[in-house]
Amino acid sequence: MKKIKALVLGLALFSAMVFGGPTYALDVSDIIGVIGGGFLVETIAGPLNDFINTITLNKGVASEDMTKVVPIVSAGQGTRIGAAQVSGPKSAVDRTKAVARIDAVFKDRFRIEILIPIDSLNPLERFRRVQGVGISAVIDYKL
C-alpha cells in the first residue's frame, strides 16, 4: 500500500510539472530518487537496524529500548536519500514512520540539521512529532 501511495504521489507531481501545473524545484530524477530511496530504505531497514544494534552491542553501548530504521524526508536544500535509526518505547517507535530533516543556517556560520521523528511519510501533507523517540543513528547512501 505504501508503494502505491508513493507511486501515485510521484505520478501526480510528474503530471503537474509536465502539464502546466505550478512550477516546483523538482525534476523527474528527484521524483524517481524519492520513490526509489523510500523503497531502498524499506527494503534494507531490518538488516540495517540489526547491523547498527550489533555494532553498539559489541561496543558496550546497546540500546535498551526498541529500535527501527525509517527514511529521512528532507525539507530544505535538495533531494537526498537517507535513513535514520530511531529508538524509544515500543509504542512510540511503532508510531514513527519517518524522520523529518530541516536544514538551517545560524548567523551565516553554523549549518544546522534538525532531525524530528514524525508519524507520517509525507511531511508536506501533515505530521506530528513522536514524543519519546530519539535518533540513534543516521544512515547515508552513497550515490
Side-chain angles (χ1 to χ4, degrees), residues 25-82:
L26 294 173
D27 62 21
V28 175
S29 64
D30 288 335
I31 294 169
I32 293 169
V34 168
I35 294 170
F39 178 73
L40 175 65
V41 170
E42 185 178 295
T43 302
I44 62 172
L48 278 172
N49 191 58
D50 293 343
F51 177 76
I52 294 164
N53 289 341
T54 299
I55 290 173
T56 57
L57 177 67
N58 290 341
K59 298 287 184 183
V61 289
S63 175
E64 293 180 5
D65 291 323
M66 181 181 171
T67 61
K68 80 173 179 181
V69 170
V70 297
I72 294 176
V73 289
S74 297
Q77 303 169 349
T79 303
R80 293 181 176 84
I81 299 171

Side-chain angles (χ1 to χ4, degrees), residues 4-126:
I4 293 171
K5 286 181 183 179
L7 180 60
V8 169
L9 176 63
L11 291 174
L13 287 171
F14 179 76
S15 64
M17 290 183 299
V18 171
F19 300 114
T23 304
Y24 294 98
L26 294 173
D27 62 21
V28 175
S29 64
D30 288 335
I31 294 169
I32 293 169
V34 168
I35 294 170
F39 178 73
L40 175 65
V41 170
E42 185 178 295
T43 302
I44 62 172
L48 278 172
N49 191 58
D50 293 343
F51 177 76
I52 294 164
N53 289 341
T54 299
I55 290 173
T56 57
L57 177 67
N58 290 341
K59 298 287 184 183
V61 289
S63 175
E64 293 180 5
D65 291 323
M66 181 181 171
T67 61
K68 80 173 179 181
V69 170
V70 297
I72 294 176
V73 289
S74 297
Q77 303 169 349
T79 303
R80 293 181 176 84
I81 299 171
Q85 183 190 55
V86 295
S87 65
K90 180 178 177 6
S91 62
V93 170
D94 285 344
R95 286 193 322 271
T96 304
K97 302 296 182 225
V99 169
R101 174 184 164 172
I102 302 169
D103 296 326
V105 176
F106 178 71
K107 298 198 179 231
D108 294 325
R109 307 270 308 163
F110 298 92
R111 184 175 69 104
I112 301 168
E113 296 177 43
I114 303 164
L115 301 172
I116 307 164
I118 60 173
D119 66 351
S120 172
L121 284 170
N122 184 358
L124 299 176
E125 184 180 292
R126 68 121 200 106

